[in-house]
């Protein structure tokens, strides 16, 4: 039996065992999100389309699947959705500026040998492609933080109906601070694990520290990690404020 099928079966079994019905939905959402990415890439191959618009549409679809399909439509998922979209809008302008300024678009010297037989004149703006890559890499992390803050804040309000907006915001920030360190470290180690071969290549080529930190491949990944970490830091106060405002408003119904 194919190794991928075996691993998928093990994952499915564990998700059902731990998460029950929600675990099944989470497993299915993996394939739905994969399908969204494939559709985005398919349309992105057309030079007449804007990769950034396609990416933002794909991100909204992914957020909807992760929040509304897996966790259903309720107050906490709605607030997490709003928080994620607001953060994405703020991050988009920042990411576009950083990506253009750092000139990380295109391919690095280490990749040119493999791409030498192919033409790079394909009519696609590589700056926009780089922006799309960073946004896609960021959306998962900030959605995770948004729901991780929204859910306990709602529970706090249910068990303490008289909590003020200020107290709820303070509680949300405390929850966010606990998440901040672990999530940023998760992103860092995901990079180390995914690009361990690249680090070994740098070692094999006897790159100096200066050459490593100026390598386009290395810088592109570090920029992605830093942008995702900035997104995590930004979404904590945004989610805390939005939830605190909603939970103390007249329209809120437990």
């Amino acid at each position: 039996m194919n190794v991928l099928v075996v691993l998928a079966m093990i994952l499915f079994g564990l998700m059902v065992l731990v998460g029950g019905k929600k675990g099944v939905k989470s497993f299915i959402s993996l394939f739905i999100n994969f399908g969204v990415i494939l559709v985005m890439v398919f349309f992105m191959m057309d030079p007449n389309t804007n990769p950034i618009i396609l990416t933002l549409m794909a991100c909204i679809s992914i957020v909807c699947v992760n929040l509304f399909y897996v966790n259903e439509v309720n107050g906490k998922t709605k607030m997490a959705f709003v928080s994620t979209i607001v953060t994405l809008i703020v991050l988009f302008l920042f990411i576009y500026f950083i990506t253009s300024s750092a000139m990380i678009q295109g391919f690095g010297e280490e990749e040119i040998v493999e791409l030498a037989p192919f033409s790079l004149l394909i009519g696609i703006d590589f700056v926009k492609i780089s922006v799309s890559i960073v946004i896609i890499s960021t959306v998962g992390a900030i959605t995770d933080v948004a729901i991780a803050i929204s859910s306990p804040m709602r529970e706090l309000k249910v068990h303490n109906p008289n909590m003020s907006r200020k107290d709820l915001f303070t509680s949300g920030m405390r929850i966010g601070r606990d998440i901040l360190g672990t999530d940023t470290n998760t992103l860092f180690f995901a990079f180390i694990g995914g690009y361990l071969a690249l680090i070994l290549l740098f070692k094999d080529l006897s790159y100096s520290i200066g050459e490593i930190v100026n390598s386009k491949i290395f810088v592109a990944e570090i920029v992605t990690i830093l942008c995702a970490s900035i997104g995590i830091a930004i979404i904590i106060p945004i989610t805390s404020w939005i939830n605190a405002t909603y939970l103390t408003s007249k329209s809120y119904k437990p």
Side-chain angles (χ1 to χ4, degrees):
M1 186 179 293
N2 191 295
V3 176
L4 295 179
V5 175
V6 173
L7 291 175
M9 290 174 62
I10 294 173
L11 175 62
F12 177 73
L14 290 173
M15 293 180 79
V16 171
L17 181 65
V18 175
K21 183 179 178 181
K22 188 170 289 187
V24 175
K25 286 186 175 183
S26 298
F27 185 79
I28 295 174
S29 70
L30 293 174
F31 295 93
I32 297 176
N33 289 334
F34 182 68
V36 171
I37 297 296
L38 286 181
V39 172
M40 181 193 72
V41 172
F42 175 77
F43 283 103
M44 199 176 284
M45 292 180 179
D46 185 355
N48 296 318
T49 59
N50 190 321
I52 294 178
I53 294 177
L54 285 174
T55 302
L56 292 176
M57 292 172 62
C59 285
I60 293 173
S61 301
I62 291 171
V63 172
C64 288
V65 170
N66 292 342
L67 293 178
F68 300 136
Y69 173 69
V70 176
N71 298 292
E72 301 179 351
V73 180
N74 49 54
K76 62 185 179 183
T77 54
K78 289 178 181 178
M79 293 304 101
F81 177 79
V82 173
S83 303
T84 302
I85 297 303
V86 171
T87 305
L88 276 177
I89 293 172
V90 174
L91 274 180
F92 166 71
L93 300 174
F94 177 75
I95 289 172
Y96 192 91
F97 172 76
I98 292 297
T99 303
S100 302
S101 302
M103 295 190 294
I104 60 173
Q105 68 274 9
F107 302 96
E109 295 179 359
E110 296 79 11
E111 300 168 304
I112 294 299
V113 176
E114 298 178 357
L115 296 171
F118 305 100
S119 173
L120 299 180
L121 302 176
I122 56 177
I124 295 177
D125 190 338
F126 279 94
V127 174
K128 293 180 179 179
I129 294 294
S130 297
V131 173
S132 298
I133 292 171
V134 177
I135 293 174
I136 285 291
S137 302
T138 302
V139 67
I142 62 176
T143 304
D144 177 59
V145 174
I147 192 64
I149 295 176
S150 295
S151 184
M153 285 186 69
R154 184 177 180 275
E155 291 299 316
L156 283 171
K157 183 63 176 178
V158 169
H159 294 288
N160 301 278
N162 296 323
M163 283 188 73
S164 65
R165 182 185 301 179
K166 182 180 179 181
D167 290 337
L168 280 169
F169 177 78
T170 302
S171 298
M173 290 297 293
R174 287 175 180 168
I175 296 167
R177 290 189 188 105
D178 292 335
I179 298 171
L180 181 61
T182 54
D183 274 28
T184 50
N185 276 282
T186 299
L187 292 171
F188 173 75
F189 286 112
F191 162 75
I192 294 297
Y195 281 84
L196 184 59
L198 175 63
I199 295 172
L200 293 174
L201 175 62
F202 287 154
K203 177 65 176 177
D204 187 55
L205 295 175
S206 301
Y207 272 29
S208 66
I209 297 298
E211 288 172 323
I212 291 175
V213 298
N214 284 286
S215 169
K216 181 178 287 189
I217 302 176
F218 182 82
V219 172
E221 292 305 316
I222 293 298
V223 166
T224 301
I225 293 173
L226 293 177
C227 287
S229 299
I230 290 170
I232 292 172
I234 291 175
I235 200 171
I236 290 172
I238 290 176
T239 306
S240 299
W241 182 82
I242 289 176
N243 275 277
T245 303
Y246 169 70
L247 293 171
T248 55
S249 65
K250 294 180 180 180
S251 59
Y252 169 68
K253 295 180 180 180

